[in-house]
Amino acid sequence: MDPVSRDLDRETGHPWPERGATADLQTQMGDMQIAGGEDMLLDDYDVIDEKQDVAEITPEGSTDEPTEPLADDYAAMKERVLAKLPDLEPEFETTYTWHIENYRSLTRKERGPKFECGGHPWRILLFPFGNNVEYASLYLEQAHEDEDKPKEGWYACVQFSLVMWNKTDPSIYSCHTANHRFNAEESDWGFTRFSELRKMFAAQWDGAGRPMVEHDAVNVTAYVRIYKDPTGVLWHSFENYNSKKETGMVGLKNQGATCYLNSLLQSLYFTNAFRKAIYRIPTEHETEKKNSAWALQRLFYLLQTSEDAVSTQELTHSFGWETRHIFEQQDVQELSRILMDRMEVRMKGTDAENALNKMFVGKMKTYISCIHVEYESSRIEDFWDIQLNVSGNRNLDDSFRDYVQVETMDGENKYFAEGHGLQDARKGVIFESFPQVLHLQLKRFEYDINRDAMMKVNDRYEFPEVFDATPYLSEGADRSEPYLYQLHGVLVHSGDLTAGHYYAFLKPAIDGHFYKFDDDKVIRATLKEALEENFGGDYANGVNGAGVRNPYTRTLSTKRSMSAYMLVYIRKSREKDILVDVTEDDTPTHLARQLDEERAALEKRRKEREEQHLYLHIHVVTDDNFKAYQGFDLTSWDTDSNAPSSPQTYRVLKNSTVGDFTRTVAESLQVPPEHARLWAMVNRQNKTIRPDQPLPDLNMTITEAYSRFSTRDKPFRLWVETATTIKEGQALWPNVNPSPAIAAPVLIFLKYFNPDDQTLKGVGHVYMRKTSKVAEMIPAIQQLMGWSPSRDPVSMSSPPSSGLPSPPYSTPSAGMCLYEEIKHSMIEPMKAKATLQQAEIQDGDIVCFQRALSETEASAIASTGRYTDAREFYDYLMNRIMVRFSPKLGPEHEGSVFDLALSRKMSYDQFSAKVGEYLKVDPTHLRFSTVLASTGKPKAPIRRGQASTLAQMLMPALGTYANANQRPDQLFYEVLEMSISELETKRNMRVTWLPEGVMKEEPMDVLAPKNGLVQDLISLIQRKVNLPEQDVSKLRIFETHQCRIGKELNPKTIIASIPDYAVLYAELVPEEERVASDEDRAMFAFHFDKEPAKTHGVPFKFVIKPRELFKDTRERLSKRTGIKGKQFDKLKFAITQRSAYSRPTYLNDEDELYALASRADDQLGLDHVNRTRLFPGKGDSIFIR
């Protein structure tokens, strides 16, 4: 099988046939005698297949049935089967016919004679009895031979049609047409199921009175047309496509749903002046992942220098985004504005200050101008982008005319002009200037009132390559330079609201081409692809009216799913300034240096991985590690490698010797190699790791030492002993294997617990005889610590370096306590008179000592919350946990986030005291909250009174609600204005203050006494909102449930009786309610969306008056709610009952609400859209840290 055929077969996934499959074909063909049948049974036959999606070209134009040409009328046939493709320019074309004789005698695969087209040889490839199917298979093949191979990179974009026809009757034919990009890898293309064998040999072909293959002969004509490739990627499969090689540019990787971010970043990157401004931000000394300016600089530099698509992970990490954020599509305009704001902040005080403002900011004037008097109220504002309506507009100019449209204020909507009273006026917006780079946001997503949902507007909307903004400037605007804009970028959305994809068409050079930036691929594009194909609207030629399948929703539509949603224009007079070349001198030097260092480190790690099988990692503990360590065993194997107590890791060749490695370790310790001895460390059954024996043979290899002295599948751990007794330059090591064995010295490690400093650290090691008593260790300890036997050890000097003691002193053990550290949970006191052998002391055991404390000393230490006994301190170490504390309210600042080492057994008051000591605040004023693991946000506050430990607070029992999704190592803290005890007598009341009708809401938290009255709550609210004393009597609070008023709270109501789930609103009683007559009546009103059960918004109390028509009531309702203008006109009003399932009775202007609302439970409903609903699939608002 030739390699091309093999690749095609693998691509289409067709299974290889069994031998019986072809034999069955012979049987089905009945009495037809097929010569060469045995050839078809060969196991090694070739299989060639075409791709599944083969385009069949149907000529456009009239729907009338065309006259069928004859197959030997080549000109007419070519016009019939090979219609020219629009927007493509033919380069070469030819027609060739292969006359096939003795069809039944053909072999399994036949190639026709060569013919030439476009300077290259071609031929027809035929599988006469099928390519793994019961059809004749026909292909077009480029016919270059091995000695005549085309040059590297050759390809041809070919439209071809293969026609099989009866050589006697050319009206009998079958044809198929396809387009394909031929190259060295895909050298043949065609139709595996070209024509069914049964039909070809049948007596009649489609009722024509004769077969297709007649007299064992048939003709096959190839119509071949080669097109010019305008973009270099026509009909490209994009397998092994190299964007850098083809375009000189690279794309951005999609992290999940970050295609919208990629399109914006590419647009900003190719706004060269913006890139240069970003490079001017000083970041050399702020190179950390949280710095978004530094991350953006790195991203831009990588886009300049990388050969492959670049990841945006560093940038999104600097934004503070979590995994969930990269799977949420966000609004590009909002992201652009936030990004610009952050970069502007970073540019302040630098050379780049105001660079973005000069580039992207224009000015617009909002005005109200009186018609009959000379009075105008106006303000000029900056804008970074312009949002334009698509719906109802045909093109960009229509949208701008709509934007600057003048509204007349007259009638009831007159404008109050200071000094002139109510006046007819004109209200509108006009532009004072446009920026050098104009960002236009097209509003492709709008609320559809009929569908009651957000929908994408796919209407056709045209935008020009050159746009003139002059007509939309004010009369006094500066026109010294023309406001002509050249299209630079089109950001496209393909799909609908819930499923889609974003990409961009950009023009990087002034006189260059457009390119399509689709995540990691960059492809040259035509002007039509960048403009017309993104206008939206209907497809030019639908297929039988069925529409085209949307690749994201998999639904059929006659409208294009791809349309522009953001346009980038550059002022033509400033193009050279904006698209200025970015040179190496513009790039911060530290970026290249850092990236070179990172690449070198990556290459080093890659090389290490490749050579990993040759090396072994050995972890070595030194006396310095032991002395710096506070914890169990000699060291911790899991700590930060930069910590002083951490063992050093060496990467050692497996075939090197122990002596070689000893010299390496000695060199790092700066001692002679003969003064260092390596001990193998073993994992004991009690889960401790201790030195066991020295490595005896310096000549053994590291592999041998590892197999003999280490546990399989465990790291190779060693302790290095440095000599303390040296004679004539040679180390004198204690003999650990004497005869008899009872005379062998025991290696003991010593730790000192200092109750004053609350430290437990190693001080060194000693050798003792097994027959020595425990008390005899004390002189050795005193010598090691530098303590004189005659002095109080507390006042002694700091410990000297370790050394072997001289023969044991007979000093009594009074004043010192000794403990053996057996394992983490077993610290046992040692008996002074027992021998080391009786105490079962062996090499590598650890003995902890401390001075004995008097009762007075112990009480003084314990009163400060410290530990007086080594065993207590060991228990603290075993339960020690590092907890991170962050402020719950307000921004983080230096020192506000900190880590404390605490015990899991601590109570609320104990760890609160530690935090208060760190923050220098009263611990009784501290309140803590647990942390939600998924979002990092606070959960409910921890109650002080609960009898639980810190461990239970951080890690509640499994299966409980509190355990769900909670961080086990972090707490939020608050510094309260009052103590926790006082706070427990208060109740936090969430009240929403309504200063202006129901349109403006100001939520507030009020701490009210639990046993107080609503009157107390009113007084607290009055102080919160700075309400004058005379207005306190007008303030009222009402309780709501499901956006309906439940009741108005009596000032004498006890606060404790208000349900926790109640929503409270506070407002001043409206004046019309205070002056209402005896006839007037009040009723409750609420908002709903189509159905009374779908409530939303703020309910309110409203006065209804007898004999008042509803058109007058509407005016009072507008004043009461604060809803005005067009928004109020969209409201519908209905009478409904408190029941959620009541049917609303809608009101007309001539109705009298007072008369119709006669039942006690009647309420007024305001029917309008709930604007607070979120877009489907949209997450939290986008942000950049």
Side-chain angles (χ1 to χ4, degrees):
M1 182 187 297
D2 60 87
V4 176
S5 302
R6 196 159 46 240
D7 288 345
L8 285 171
D9 181 66
R10 185 163 55 245
E11 179 183 346
T12 55
H14 291 310
W16 289 99
E18 299 179 359
R19 293 175 61 95
T22 308
D24 289 343
L25 176 61
Q26 286 183 312
T27 303
Q28 290 178 29
M29 295 181 70
D31 56 359
M32 288 187 290
Q33 297 185 3
I34 304 175
E38 289 299 311
D39 291 341
M40 296 180 64
L41 297 177
L42 294 176
D43 287 337
D44 60 346
Y45 59 83
D46 291 356
V47 177
I48 301 180
D49 203 353
E50 78 279 5
K51 286 189 176 177
Q52 298 302 299
D53 296 331
V54 175
E56 294 194 15
I57 310 302
T58 303
E60 301 177 5
S62 172
T63 57
D64 295 338
E65 288 287 337
T67 304
E68 289 293 331
L70 299 178
D72 58 356
D73 185 354
Y74 297 127
M77 199 66 185
K78 181 169 67 174
E79 188 177 346
R80 164 74 172 82
V81 301
L82 206 67
K84 290 184 179 180
L85 301 176
D87 304 315
L88 292 176
E89 182 182 352
E91 191 172 16
F92 307 100
E93 57 184 56
T94 193
T95 302
Y96 176 78
T97 300
W98 178 18
H99 304 282
I100 303 173
E101 304 289 341
N102 302 317
Y103 192 98
R104 291 177 175 82
S105 301
L106 296 177
T107 60
R108 57 186 175 80
K109 180 170 68 173
E110 294 284 350
R111 286 182 168 92
K114 292 182 182 180
F115 61 92
E116 187 270 337
C117 185
H120 297 280
W122 303 88
R123 62 190 170 200
I124 299 168
L125 175 62
L126 169 66
F127 285 77
F129 305 108
N131 178 16
N132 195 28
V133 290
E134 296 176 7
Y135 288 74
S137 303
L138 270 176
Y139 308 91
L140 179 66
E141 180 182 54
Q142 60 95 353
H144 284 286
E145 305 294 346
D146 292 341
E147 65 277 2
D148 183 32
K149 284 186 177 179
K151 63 181 181 180
E152 185 178 354
W154 171 86
Y155 69 90
C157 298
V158 180
Q159 177 194 22
F160 67 95
S161 181
L162 298 178
V163 181
M164 179 182 286
W165 51 285
N166 184 298
K167 63 184 300 182
T168 305
D169 185 355
S171 66
I172 298 175
Y173 63 84
S174 175
C175 67
H176 291 285
T177 304
N179 309 324
H180 183 60
R181 184 187 185 92
F182 287 84
N183 53 43
E185 288 74 30
E186 295 184 352
S187 60
D188 40 49
W189 205 253
F191 315 97
T192 299
R193 293 173 174 82
F194 185 89
S195 185
E196 191 175 358
L197 290 171
R198 179 180 57 80
K199 289 180 62 179
M200 287 171 57
F201 290 95
Q204 294 190 42
W205 173 269
D206 287 344
R210 58 203 317 164
M212 172 70 77
V213 180
E214 190 174 14
H215 307 304
D216 213 20
V218 73
N219 290 342
V220 177
T221 300
Y223 297 90
V224 180
R225 179 179 293 133
I226 299 178
Y227 284 95
K228 291 182 179 180
D229 184 0
T231 62
V233 293
L234 181 62
W235 304 328
H236 204 300
S237 67
F238 294 106
E239 292 181 10
N240 303 317
Y241 179 76
N242 188 319
S243 295
K244 186 77 170 184
K245 180 181 176 182
E246 300 296 335
T247 66
M249 296 167 282
V250 297
L252 293 168
K253 296 178 182 176
N254 192 330
Q255 295 186 54
T258 56
C259 49
Y260 72 97
L261 172 66
N262 292 348
S263 60
L264 175 66
L265 290 173
Q266 291 282 19
S267 170
L268 294 175
Y269 172 79
F270 285 106
T271 307
N272 296 356
F274 175 82
R275 196 191 332 166
K276 291 184 72 169
I278 294 299
Y279 282 156
R280 287 162 58 193
I281 301 174
T283 60
E284 186 170 5
H285 304 295
E286 302 179 34
T287 52
E288 58 177 21
K289 291 187 176 181
K290 291 184 179 180
N291 186 334
S292 53
W294 174 75
L296 189 58
Q297 284 181 347
R298 280 172 62 91
L299 180 74
F300 282 178
Y301 183 75
L302 286 170
L303 283 172
Q304 278 180 209
T305 59
S306 179
E307 296 295 320
D308 302 305
V310 178
S311 171
T312 57
Q313 283 186 333
E314 273 187 355
L315 185 66
T316 55
H317 186 272
S318 74
F319 291 170
W321 293 2
E322 301 172 3
T323 303
R324 64 190 178 90
H325 294 118
I326 65 175
F327 286 98
E328 295 172 352
Q329 287 190 348
Q330 299 286 356
D331 181 64
V332 172
Q333 184 214 17
E334 186 181 2
L335 173 63
S336 176
R337 286 296 301 113
I338 295 172
L339 182 61
M340 294 289 189
D341 286 343
R342 293 295 179 272
M343 294 304 107
E344 269 211 305
V345 171
R346 300 289 307 179
M347 289 177 179
K348 283 186 178 177
T350 72
D351 293 342
E353 187 170 2
N354 292 325
L356 301 187
N357 199 288
K358 293 175 183 176
M359 206 181 310
F360 296 102
V361 174
K363 293 187 181 297
M364 67 169 65
K365 182 173 77 171
T366 304
Y367 65 90
I368 301 177
S369 177
C370 293
I371 297 173
H372 303 299
V373 297
E374 290 188 7
Y375 182 87
E376 181 178 281
S377 172
S378 65
R379 70 176 185 275
I380 295 178
E381 299 173 309
D382 291 344
F383 69 87
W384 288 77
D385 49 51
I386 304 172
Q387 293 192 55
L388 299 173
N389 288 325
V390 172
S391 183
N393 296 307
R394 296 172 302 168
N395 53 43
L396 197 59
D397 281 301
D398 281 358
S399 290
F400 266 95
R401 284 191 285 269
D402 177 58
Y403 198 92
V404 299
Q405 183 178 359
V406 177
E407 177 188 350
T408 301
M409 303 175 69
D410 57 8
E412 296 180 357
N413 197 29
K414 286 186 177 182
Y415 173 67
F416 181 82
E418 189 174 347
H420 300 280
L422 292 172
Q423 293 287 331
D424 292 343
R426 295 186 180 94
K427 177 182 178 182
V429 173
I430 196 70
F431 293 96
E432 293 293 322
S433 67
F434 289 100
Q436 299 176 24
V437 181
L438 180 60
H439 281 183
L440 303 178
Q441 185 80 19
L442 307 183
K443 294 166 72 173
R444 283 285 181 184
F445 299 99
E446 288 189 352
Y447 177 78
D448 188 326
I449 194 168
N450 296 319
R451 293 182 174 90
D452 187 22
M454 293 296 296
M455 300 294 292
K456 183 179 178 183
V457 180
N458 279 319
D459 297 347
R460 183 176 176 85
Y461 181 89
E462 299 178 6
F463 47 89
E465 188 179 4
V466 177
F467 169 63
D468 185 2
T470 309
Y472 315 108
L473 289 167
S474 68
E475 293 180 1
D478 180 9
R479 289 177 167 82
S480 57
E481 284 184 49
Y483 280 93
L484 286 176
Y485 283 83
Q486 178 71 43
L487 184 66
H488 172 67
V490 182
L491 279 63
V492 180
H493 178 266
S494 177
D496 62 14
L497 182 72
T498 57
H501 179 58
Y502 294 82
Y503 49 90
F505 289 92
L506 301 171
K507 186 180 176 184
I510 295 175
D511 299 321
H513 303 283
F514 274 96
Y515 290 85
K516 181 181 179 182
F517 293 81
D518 189 355
D519 287 338
D520 55 353
K521 286 198 292 290
V522 183
I523 306 162
R524 185 177 157 188
T526 63
L527 187 62
K528 180 182 178 182
E529 288 173 328
L531 272 75
E532 186 177 334
E533 292 189 3
N534 298 307
F535 288 165
D538 294 332
Y539 285 99
N541 293 298
V543 181
N544 298 324
V548 177
R549 189 173 298 280
N550 185 317
Y552 305 102
T553 63
R554 307 306 300 163
T555 57
L556 292 172
S557 174
T558 59
K559 285 189 176 292
R560 294 179 184 272
S561 66
M562 69 289 288
S563 52
Y565 71 96
M566 182 174 172
L567 305 175
V568 181
Y569 282 94
I570 297 177
R571 196 172 181 180
K572 287 181 73 70
S573 58
R574 301 298 179 92
E575 271 189 302
K576 291 183 179 178
D577 298 330
I578 299 301
L579 299 182
V580 62
D581 290 339
V582 181
T583 65
E584 192 68 30
D585 294 337
D586 297 317
T587 308
T589 55
H590 66 275
L591 289 180
R593 185 178 63 252
Q594 290 167 3
L595 288 167
D596 287 343
E597 290 171 357
E598 291 173 12
R599 290 186 184 113
L602 283 171
E603 178 61 24
K604 182 181 177 182
R605 286 197 292 272
R606 184 195 64 78
K607 189 174 180 181
E608 287 177 354
R609 285 195 299 270
E610 290 178 354
E611 299 175 350
Q612 190 170 358
H613 65 286
L614 302 175
Y615 289 85
L616 182 69
H617 286 89
I618 302 178
H619 309 284
V620 178
V621 185
T622 66
D623 280 341
D624 289 339
N625 299 144
F626 178 54
K627 292 173 184 178
Y629 177 60
Q630 178 164 279
F632 298 98
D633 281 348
L634 271 64
T635 187
S636 172
W637 305 98
D638 302 321
T639 56
D640 180 8
S641 58
N642 295 320
S645 61
S646 295
Q648 187 170 351
T649 301
Y650 295 85
R651 187 167 176 260
V652 186
L653 277 169
K654 292 180 179 179
N655 59 4
S656 62
T657 65
V658 172
D660 295 334
F661 181 57
T662 302
R663 283 189 286 275
T664 301
V665 175
E667 184 179 348
S668 67
L669 296 176
Q670 299 181 346
V671 299
E674 57 271 16
H675 293 180
R677 181 164 67 164
L678 300 177
W679 285 65
M681 301 186 74
V682 298
N683 296 346
R684 295 184 177 180
Q685 290 185 349
N686 60 7
K687 297 184 180 179
T688 60
I689 303 172
R690 305 288 175 81
D692 183 59
Q693 59 179 308
L695 299 182
D697 185 2
L698 296 179
N699 294 319
M700 76 169 69
T701 65
I702 293 296
T703 301
E704 292 176 300
Y706 177 65
S707 62
R708 286 179 57 186
F709 299 104
S710 182
T711 309
R712 180 178 294 181
D713 299 328
K714 297 288 185 181
F716 196 13
R717 298 184 174 115
L718 301 175
W719 170 64
V720 58
E721 178 185 11
T722 54
T724 55
T725 304
I726 300 170
K727 185 175 181 181
E728 297 179 358
Q730 296 296 316
L732 300 179
W733 303 109
N735 186 2
V736 295
N737 295 307
S739 182
I742 192 67
V746 181
L747 172 66
I748 302 174
F749 290 88
L750 299 172
K751 290 183 181 178
Y752 172 50
F753 171 60
N754 187 335
D756 296 316
D757 298 338
Q758 295 289 287
T759 56
L760 174 67
K761 293 191 176 180
V763 294
H765 65 277
V766 296
Y767 283 96
M768 301 295 297
R769 296 186 183 91
K770 291 182 179 180
T771 55
S772 301
K773 293 185 177 181
V774 171
E776 294 176 13
M777 294 174 60
I778 293 176
I781 293 171
Q782 290 173 332
Q783 180 180 345
L784 191 64
M785 297 294 292
W787 292 342
S788 169
S790 61
R791 296 178 60 191
D792 184 350
V794 175
S795 61
M796 294 303 128
S797 59
S798 58
S801 59
S802 64
L804 273 170
S806 42
Y809 299 113
S810 58
T811 308
S813 62
M816 193 178 296
C817 303
L818 279 73
Y819 305 90
E820 182 188 358
E821 181 186 315
I822 300 172
K823 60 179 181 178
H824 297 178
S825 58
M826 188 179 294
I827 313 298
E828 297 291 340
M830 301 183 73
K831 297 178 181 178
K833 296 182 180 180
T835 65
L836 297 180
Q837 188 173 19
Q838 291 172 335
E840 297 183 355
I841 299 298
Q842 61 185 30
D843 285 327
D845 281 353
I846 298 174
V847 172
C848 172
F849 63 91
Q850 73 168 96
R851 68 183 182 87
L853 301 175
S854 65
E855 289 187 10
T856 304
E857 291 174 318
S859 298
I861 292 172
S863 65
T864 60
R866 294 179 291 169
Y867 302 99
T868 59
D869 185 273
R871 288 170 295 183
E872 294 177 348
F873 194 76
Y874 268 110
D875 182 73
Y876 157 71
L877 292 178
M878 188 169 65
N879 290 285
R880 180 174 56 179
I881 181 175
M882 293 300 296
V883 181
R884 168 154 293 187
F885 292 89
S886 305
K888 183 176 180 180
L889 304 173
E892 296 179 359
H893 55 82
E894 187 175 353
S896 65
V897 179
F898 55 91
D899 297 326
L900 288 181
L902 304 172
S903 171
R904 290 183 176 88
K905 293 184 176 181
M906 282 182 168
S907 65
Y908 187 103
D909 290 338
Q910 287 174 325
F911 80 78
S912 180
K914 292 285 187 183
V915 177
E917 181 182 353
Y918 180 89
L919 293 173
K920 297 181 175 55
V921 298
D922 188 343
T924 62
H925 285 57
L926 288 170
R927 181 166 68 171
F928 302 94
S929 302
T930 52
V931 181
L932 195 63
S934 59
T935 63
K937 294 181 179 179
K939 293 181 73 176
I942 300 172
R943 298 191 62 180
R944 174 176 172 268
Q946 61 187 24
S948 57
T949 63
L950 177 60
Q952 292 169 328
M953 297 175 202
L954 289 171
M955 294 172 286
L958 290 173
T960 62
Y961 174 76
N963 179 265
N965 198 18
Q966 182 171 307
R967 286 287 297 269
D969 58 354
Q970 186 177 353
L971 291 173
F972 283 105
Y973 68 87
E974 302 169 79
V975 182
L976 306 176
E977 296 178 358
M978 62 187 74
S979 68
I980 293 291
S981 301
E982 184 182 355
L983 180 66
E984 289 173 350
T985 67
K986 306 283 185 180
R987 177 178 172 183
N988 184 53
M989 308 290 289
R990 169 55 68 97
V991 182
T992 301
W993 169 244
L994 304 173
E996 301 172 8
V998 299
M999 293 299 291
K1000 188 175 180 182
E1001 302 175 47
E1002 297 179 3
M1004 64 179 73
D1005 289 308
V1006 182
L1007 283 173
K1010 288 182 178 177
N1011 298 323
L1013 304 176
V1014 170
Q1015 183 62 53
D1016 301 322
L1017 180 59
I1018 290 173
S1019 299
L1020 291 169
I1021 293 172
Q1022 178 249 332
R1023 289 197 290 272
K1024 279 258 188 184
V1025 299
N1026 297 319
L1027 201 64
E1029 284 291 338
Q1030 62 268 24
D1031 289 341
V1032 174
S1033 60
K1034 304 175 187 175
L1035 198 152
R1036 71 176 172 201
I1037 301 173
F1038 52 89
E1039 176 186 316
T1040 71
H1041 306 278
Q1042 295 181 339
C1043 300
R1044 291 178 185 243
I1045 294 178
K1047 62 181 177 181
E1048 185 177 331
L1049 296 179
N1050 190 304
K1052 300 300 182 183
T1053 300
I1054 299 173
I1055 288 175
S1057 66
I1058 301 174
D1060 290 336
Y1061 55 82
V1063 179
L1064 303 181
Y1065 290 93
E1067 67 172 358
L1068 290 176
V1069 178
E1071 184 179 357
E1072 71 169 4
E1073 194 173 327
R1074 296 197 304 269
V1075 300
S1077 66
D1078 293 339
E1079 281 189 292
D1080 294 344
R1081 200 167 71 233
M1083 73 183 300
F1084 292 145
F1086 70 100
H1087 307 262
F1088 68 93
D1089 188 349
K1090 293 187 178 181
E1091 299 175 17
K1094 296 180 179 179
T1095 57
H1096 62 91
V1098 181
F1100 58 96
K1101 193 174 179 181
F1102 181 65
V1103 174
I1104 56 176
K1105 298 178 178 292
R1107 298 172 297 282
E1108 180 184 57
L1109 296 179
F1110 192 69
K1111 64 179 180 181
D1112 300 320
T1113 308
R1114 285 172 60 94
E1115 293 182 11
R1116 291 194 301 108
L1117 278 166
S1118 176
K1119 184 177 179 181
R1120 173 71 178 92
T1121 58
I1123 307 174
K1124 300 177 181 178
K1126 292 180 180 179
Q1127 190 176 357
F1128 187 78
D1129 292 340
K1130 293 178 182 178
L1131 302 184
K1132 292 187 288 186
F1133 298 89
I1135 297 175
T1136 182
Q1137 286 71 49
R1138 180 172 292 276
S1139 169
Y1141 302 101
S1142 64
R1143 296 183 62 180
T1145 303
Y1146 286 91
L1147 298 166
N1148 299 315
D1149 284 351
E1150 303 304 317
D1151 290 333
E1152 291 184 17
L1153 179 58
Y1154 190 94
L1156 294 174
S1158 56
R1159 295 174 53 173
D1161 64 341
D1162 280 343
Q1163 295 188 348
L1164 177 63
L1166 284 67
D1167 182 1
H1168 59 103
V1169 174
N1170 180 6
R1171 296 288 183 182
T1172 62
R1173 287 178 300 183
L1174 296 175
F1175 283 14
K1178 184 168 168 45
D1180 298 337
S1181 294
I1182 198 165
F1183 67 93
I1184 297 178
R1185 177 168 52 195

